Amino acid sequence: MRISVIGCGYLGAVHAASMAELGHDVVGIDVDEAKVALLGQGKAPFHEPGFEELLERNVAAGRLRFSTDFADVAGARVHFIGVGTPQQEGSYAADMSQVDGAVSALLPHLAPTPEGPPVVVGKSTVPVGTASAVAERVESRGAILVWNPEFLREGFAVQDTISPDRMVYGLSRDEQAADTGRAVLDEVYDDLINRQQIPRLLTDYATAELVKVAANSFLATKISFINAMAELCEATGADVVQLAEAIGHDDRIGKKFLRAGVGFGGGCLPKDIRAFMARAEELGVDEALGFLREVDSINDRRRDHVITLATDLLDGKVAGKQVAVLGAAFKPDTDDMRNSPALDIAARLAAKGARITVTDPQAGPILAEQDRPDLTVAGTAEEAMTGADLVLLLTEWRQFRDLDPAAVVGLPNRPVMIDGRNVLDPKQWRSAGWTYHGMGRP
Ligand code: UGA
């Protein structure tokens, strides 16, 4: 099937390559010329395991190309919209300009194909109510809208796109349009539906939009819940890692997303819960999401907690101290530093006068190219730790988790470790001569 994917960021680029992998003929559209040029050569503009191979293979096979010219969407039966919806400057609400812009640019190119009306498929995370407004616009050009939210995780983006745990189709109230939209998307996802038998839920537009933000809100809540327990553990000398393991054995609760630490970051959870609160307020139901305000505050407090702990461990004098920060990305296996707890903490300690050396296997080189006079970038953990008065592990890359405490204990000026992700073995680190501090652990 001929497919266009509008927006070639994390979501769109991976989606475009994945659709080509499924055998479709795909064009990815983006306004960023440099990104389009890179993608067109089969080169990934960001670090995502498995993505570059997928891209290379499908570009080489001639099933996948990229363009900045919207006219190149002509002839496609399906148009996916995968542009960003970042947090608005000075507000919690989502900035919808990219979605509005993508739809406006797409409209003049929507035309019936020999197989039937074109189908526009929304994948961006949007405030509830967006889809019905977009539907009106695309219907005016004879197209059908399906809202098909994306649940991919960075670091697992390819796997989550080609083999998601579920699919949601938000369909039109018009039965005929709904049937056509569903049938066309079923054809696109034939392998997922018929071979992999992935569950597919058919809903209305509003439900599909809400499923996405509800899922991310639930995940954020789970993380903040365990981080609130970490605060209780810190006040009582209890151990949140054991607590999480013990409650996680109850399969109604489950063990996943109960890792206490410096909290959640990234381009999704933080802005999604805020946009959800902003939308609830517009709808007059802000009380329903009052708890998300608390989820957000608990998350912020984790970063404050690390700053306070670091300040205490530096005897109240941060200025002039040498601090090693292991990690800059918001989580491992990505080079994404959007709303990264690691980078935020590093920058805040630097603002207090600390001399910060950051290292990150993937985000490090990107950081080194940015104009950041407050941060020095080191190539390895060993290099960053050398001469440090304090070491902070803030992104749990395997390289850092696997550090041998005995082998590196001689590197810092003072072997003091804040393990912001609770991934090191306290016993092992202490017996190697380190002063070890975890999050919510005695
Ligand atoms: C998140 C969701 O998990 C995806 O399902 C969703 O599709 C995506 O947002 C999106 O909306 O596009 P992602 O932002 O890639 O995916 O990251 P997560 O794996 O959810 O991690 C988010 C943050 O929570 C990270 O900073 C991570 O370190 C932190 N985290 C995660 C914890 O602090 N504790 C945990 O137990 C789990």
Side-chain angles (χ1 to χ4, degrees):
M1 193 179 281
R2 287 185 64 184
I3 288 176
S4 86
V5 178
I6 296 152
C8 292
Y10 231 103
L11 192 174
V14 174
H15 195 72
S18 301
M19 293 305 102
E21 181 73 6
L22 293 178
H24 302 300
D25 175 6
V26 184
V27 59
I29 305 284
D30 201 286
V31 292
D32 183 335
E33 281 179 21
K35 194 189 283 174
V36 162
L38 215 56
L39 286 164
Q41 294 159 27
K43 294 201 181 97
F46 47 80
H47 173 76
E48 178 63 39
F51 173 56
E52 194 157 84
E53 293 83 328
L54 190 75
L55 192 62
E56 251 178 354
R57 184 163 62 239
N58 285 287
V59 169
R63 284 190 297 265
L64 177 62
R65 61 204 172 83
F66 294 90
S67 170
T68 51
D69 185 358
F70 260 89
D72 286 336
V73 309
R77 179 79 201 272
V78 176
H79 306 274
F80 284 99
I81 298 179
V83 293
T85 51
Q87 187 177 334
Q88 255 177 49
E89 200 80 53
S91 152
Y92 270 14
D95 173 351
M96 295 300 290
S97 57
Q98 293 181 46
V99 173
D100 294 340
V103 175
S104 300
L106 180 61
L107 287 182
H109 303 288
L110 289 176
T113 69
E115 301 84 38
V119 177
V120 177
V121 183
K123 294 203 76 69
S124 305
T125 302
V126 294
V128 57
T130 303
S132 56
V134 172
E136 257 183 52
R137 299 183 68 194
V138 305
E139 280 161 12
S140 71
R141 302 281 310 175
I144 289 169
L145 182 80
V146 180
W147 209 264
N148 172 223
E150 179 57 59
F151 304 104
L152 70 82
R153 297 158 297 168
E154 293 185 18
F156 301 90
V158 173
Q159 179 194 322
D160 286 351
T161 304
I162 291 185
S163 213
D165 46 21
R166 82 293 207 186
M167 288 179 289
V168 176
Y169 295 6
L171 299 171
S172 168
R173 285 196 195 283
D174 178 292
E175 241 172 72
Q176 204 188 337
D179 278 352
T180 308
R182 180 195 46 70
V184 171
L185 207 52
D186 277 355
E187 205 179 321
V188 173
Y189 294 141
D190 176 57
D191 180 83
L192 286 71
I193 289 165
N194 294 314
R195 192 181 63 80
Q196 300 186 58
Q197 308 253 314
I198 290 164
R200 141 174 135 334
L201 290 95
L202 306 180
T203 71
D204 53 35
Y205 290 143
T207 306
E209 292 167 308
L210 282 172
V211 167
K212 168 68 193 198
V213 277
N216 275 3
S217 298
F218 191 83
L219 294 172
T221 303
K222 222 175 161 188
I223 299 168
S224 277
F225 173 82
I226 202 64
N227 279 329
M229 293 306 109
E231 291 187 22
L232 265 296
C233 290
E234 275 146 16
T236 54
D239 187 336
V240 77
V241 175
Q242 289 184 330
L243 183 149
E245 195 192 338
I247 63 172
H249 276 294
D250 181 334
D251 62 13
R252 292 171 304 173
I253 296 173
K255 287 189 182 165
K256 290 185 180 157
F257 267 64
L258 282 182
R259 282 177 284 115
V262 288
F264 57 80
C268 301
L269 300 192
K271 65 105 178 155
D272 285 353
I273 63 169
R274 290 178 180 167
F276 200 15
M277 286 188 269
R279 184 68 184 127
E281 197 172 331
E282 285 170 9
L283 293 166
V285 288
D286 46 328
E287 274 187 346
L289 298 186
F291 71 97
L292 285 181
R293 219 164 273 284
E294 205 47 52
V295 165
D296 206 10
S297 311
I298 293 166
N299 198 50
D300 283 345
R301 284 207 296 276
R302 293 318 292 168
R303 301 181 188 190
D304 300 343
H305 172 72
V306 174
I307 309 266
T308 307
L309 183 60
T311 308
D312 289 350
L313 291 170
L314 294 168
D315 305 318
K317 297 184 203 81
V318 176
K321 295 282 169 56
Q322 180 72 38
V323 177
V325 175
L326 311 186
F330 83 101
K331 67 174 191 180
D333 297 315
T334 177
D335 55 15
D336 193 343
M337 291 179 276
R338 285 177 294 171
N339 203 334
S340 163
L343 196 58
D344 182 32
I345 291 167
R348 283 164 64 184
L349 286 171
K352 285 168 146 251
R355 287 181 291 128
I356 305 283
T357 305
V358 187
T359 183
D360 188 291
Q362 291 295 336
I366 298 174
L367 202 55
E369 279 180 17
Q370 292 174 2
D371 185 22
R372 294 288 305 238
D374 58 334
L375 307 171
T376 303
V377 180
T380 62
E382 286 80 358
E383 202 187 309
M385 285 172 159
T386 302
D389 297 299
L390 176 66
V391 182
L392 279 72
L393 190 164
L394 300 178
T395 313
E396 67 276 35
W397 285 94
R398 172 149 295 285
Q399 289 89 323
F400 308 153
R401 296 202 314 253
D402 287 349
L403 282 170
D404 174 358
V408 293
V409 70
L411 298 177
N413 180 28
R414 300 192 315 161
V416 184
M417 168 66 80
I418 298 181
D419 175 6
R421 297 288 187 174
N422 287 340
V423 288
L424 305 176
D425 179 350
K427 248 194 219 152
Q428 214 190 352
W429 281 72
R430 285 184 182 128
S431 63
W434 286 80
T435 302
Y436 172 93
H437 291 268
M439 301 283 102
R441 314 188 78 178

